[in-house]
Amino acid sequence: MKLSLTVNETAHELEVAPNALLVEIIRGDLGLTGTHVGCDTSQCGACTVEMDGRAVKSCTVLAGQAQDARVTTIEGLGAPGNLHPMQTAFQAHHALQCGFCTPGMIISAIDLVKRADGRLDEAAVREGLAGNLCRCTGYHNIVEAVLAAAGQM
């Protein structure tokens, strides 16, 4: 099937299998490997990207569901020397260790801040990021980073 979508502000037209997953398109066809595959069951959040303004777990989105969508991956957020405020906060608050969950966690955190409309506290951040698993950090620094970035976005 023919798939047309925009990823990180670049339009793409691809020929994909009807059962292809968005994460496969992003990583394989487009070579954007910042989006990780962790569990393949939508449990860990490592594959989270923004699609049409909402965070989605790309391991459960079929290619056809992304037709004409606008997708942002971690590579589309910022660049060295010009990071997104959430990326800067994760760096400043040491909110990452191995880094495997970080791209999906950052995309989910940005979505959480957008939807919170200024009403975030520690409990809301922990609940809002419950679908993103981190095996290394214990979440404390992640929560601190999200709260700090919320004031900058």
Side-chain angles (χ1 to χ4, degrees), residues 44-46 48 86 90 95 100-111 129 131-134 137 139 142 146:
C44 74
T48 304
M86 191 65 71
F90 265 62
F100 189 81
C101 72
T102 305
M105 191 74 74
I106 287 173
I107 298 286
S108 292
I110 291 168
D111 184 64
L129 294 180
N132 291 77
L133 302 180
C134 176
T137 66
Y139 299 96
I142 292 171
V146 173

Side-chain angles (χ1 to χ4, degrees), residues 38-89:
C39 65
D40 279 332
T41 61
S42 190
Q43 302 295 311
C44 74
C47 67
T48 304
V49 298
E50 182 184 277
M51 185 170 91
D52 292 334
R54 295 287 294 188
V56 299
K57 293 180 179 178
S58 62
C59 73
T60 58
V61 176
L62 290 170
Q65 293 173 290
Q67 181 65 36
D68 298 323
R70 299 187 67 78
V71 176
T72 302
T73 69
I74 194 72
E75 291 93 345
L77 285 183
N82 187 29
L83 297 177
H84 184 281
M86 191 65 71
Q87 292 171 307
T88 300

